Amino acid sequence: MKAVVIVFPGSNCDRDAKVALEAAAGRPVAMVWHGDSELPPTDLVVLPGGFSYGDYLRPGAMASRSPVMQDVVRAAKRGVRVLGICNGFQVLTECGLLPGALLRNAGLRFVCRPVTLRVETVRSPFTNGYRRGAVLQMPVAHHDGNYFAEPATLERLAGEDRIAFRYMDNPNGSLGDIAGILNERRNVLGMMPHPERAADAVLGGTDGRALFDALAA
Amino acid sequence: MKARVLVMPRAGVLDPQGKAVAQALAGLGFESVEAARQGKVIELELAETDPAAAEAALAAMCERLLANPVVEDYTIEIA
């Protein structure tokens, strides 16, 4: 698997994602600067966590309009896999690759703690290394993770088996306890929890590792 | 030409910040406050003299960047 991690000004989980991907894939992962207009040939693009552009205007708003994102959108439409974690999920909703929006947490506080998730579907290249219904622990660290979408969109996501993960202890007010969703073609996943921060025992957990292993398989 | 864009959370979209502002005002003794909504104001200076052209350009800016149509409404004011 060839993978790249996009680096925006303000990304702060880009190197964690690189470490997790390299451990799974056993080969170097390229870092691509947001100002580049073209992606190198790749099978997977990771949009990492962080606070791109200081969350100016809306989280992910500026990053989703950066030069490299036009090529990421084109790549996603060709079937290249795209994984957006935390701020990366916000970027994916802002650029229209995923429906809905991520609003300020219902409790207004920045939430930084481990959460418990349930795997809702294994029908994706990201989640096919889990069992359906498996319960995972991963950290969240965000101020704007409150998933919102119109009722029709929520129904469609559930009906098409596109909800990848739900919180069992909803930390932010997300509708339907949604923690991660897939696009229609199932090659784009956005999720607020951080699998890259739960991919090595020294980090306190390994429940995220199966996601990177599945992508590398 | 100066313009002002008001961006507000759409009706029906949870606005926890507005709700907290209303609660804080009530806590200060402003008992008449029933609700508050919080949005943002963006002031722009345009090198454009035709108000209709400016309005069209501003609407495009709102659709493409300034507002997120999934959760926000916008209003354009041209001075």
Side-chain angles (χ1 to χ4, degrees), chain A residues 57-58 65 108 148 150, chain B residues 10 20 40 64-66 71:
Chain A
L57 196 63
R58 296 177 304 276
R65 276 80 174 170
L108 288 173
F148 173 88
E150 294 295 330
Chain B
R10 267 194 12 223
K40 52 182 87 112
R64 291 189 54 195
L65 178 66
L66 300 179
V71 286

Side-chain angles (χ1 to χ4, degrees), chain A residues 4-215:
Chain A
V4 302
V5 178
I6 309 290
V7 184
F8 300 103
S11 293
N12 63 13
C13 299
D14 44 331
R15 280 169 292 176
D16 305 60
K18 177 180 163 78
V19 168
L21 285 164
E22 287 180 345
R27 56 184 293 174
V29 167
M31 308 298 267
V32 175
W33 184 238
H34 71 111
D36 293 0
S37 51
E38 233 175 282
L39 284 173
T42 191
D43 307 307
L44 170 71
V45 177
V46 177
L47 306 176
F51 299 87
S52 55
Y53 298 84
D55 278 352
Y56 289 175
L57 196 63
R58 296 177 304 276
M62 299 295 178
S64 69
R65 276 80 174 170
S66 63
V68 78
M69 280 307 298
Q70 295 180 35
D71 209 30
V72 172
V73 171
R74 279 193 292 270
K77 301 213 155 136
R78 284 198 308 270
V80 171
R81 291 162 184 178
V82 180
L83 168 63
I85 302 166
C86 196
N87 189 220
F89 187 8
Q90 295 162 338
V91 174
L92 287 173
T93 59
E94 279 283 341
C95 73
L97 282 176
L98 292 175
L102 292 143
L103 304 177
R104 180 53 48 99
N105 292 346
L108 288 173
R109 286 172 190 265
F110 189 94
V111 180
C112 181
R113 63 171 171 85
V115 294
T116 310
L117 302 174
R118 195 173 53 232
V119 178
E120 295 289 310
T121 182
V122 296
R123 286 180 46 227
S124 83
F126 308 92
T127 57
N128 63 17
Y130 294 106
R131 264 183 315 104
R132 186 163 181 274
V135 173
L136 313 176
Q137 282 239 326
M138 285 182 204
V140 292
H142 60 248
H143 209 163
D144 299 84
N146 180 352
Y147 185 75
F148 173 88
E150 294 295 330
T153 304
L154 292 171
E155 251 173 64
R156 194 164 164 217
L157 287 172
E160 293 174 356
D161 194 25
R162 286 166 52 192
I163 298 169
F165 303 103
R166 287 189 208 261
Y167 301 109
M168 297 181 72
D169 51 354
N170 191 337
N172 52 31
S174 289
L175 294 179
D177 301 323
I178 286 174
I181 55 169
L182 295 157
N183 67 338
E184 210 170 349
R185 195 168 167 179
R186 312 183 88 77
N187 65 317
V188 178
L189 170 69
M191 62 189 294
M192 288 312 294
H194 286 273
E196 82 285 12
R197 294 195 198 174
D200 194 311
V202 296
L203 299 175
T206 55
D207 284 356
R209 194 186 281 169
L211 187 149
F212 298 106
D213 287 345
L215 286 167

Side-chain angles (χ1 to χ4, degrees), chain B:
Chain B
M1 176 178 296
K2 287 190 180 196
R4 182 178 275 199
V5 171
L6 282 82
V7 180
M8 292 297 293
R10 267 194 12 223
V13 173
L14 182 73
D15 173 21
Q17 293 179 101
K19 211 169 138 194
V21 168
Q23 281 168 359
L25 288 170
L28 289 172
F30 294 103
E31 287 162 13
S32 62
V33 176
E34 291 181 335
R37 306 280 284 166
Q38 184 181 318
K40 52 182 87 112
V41 175
I42 300 151
E43 289 182 336
L44 299 109
E45 293 202 24
L46 305 178
E48 176 63 72
T49 50
D50 174 21
E55 175 121 22
L58 287 160
M61 292 178 210
C62 288
E63 294 290 334
R64 291 189 54 195
L65 178 66
L66 300 179
N68 178 346
V70 177
V71 286
E72 293 172 327
D73 286 327
Y74 62 85
T75 314
I76 293 166
E77 294 173 357
I78 295 176

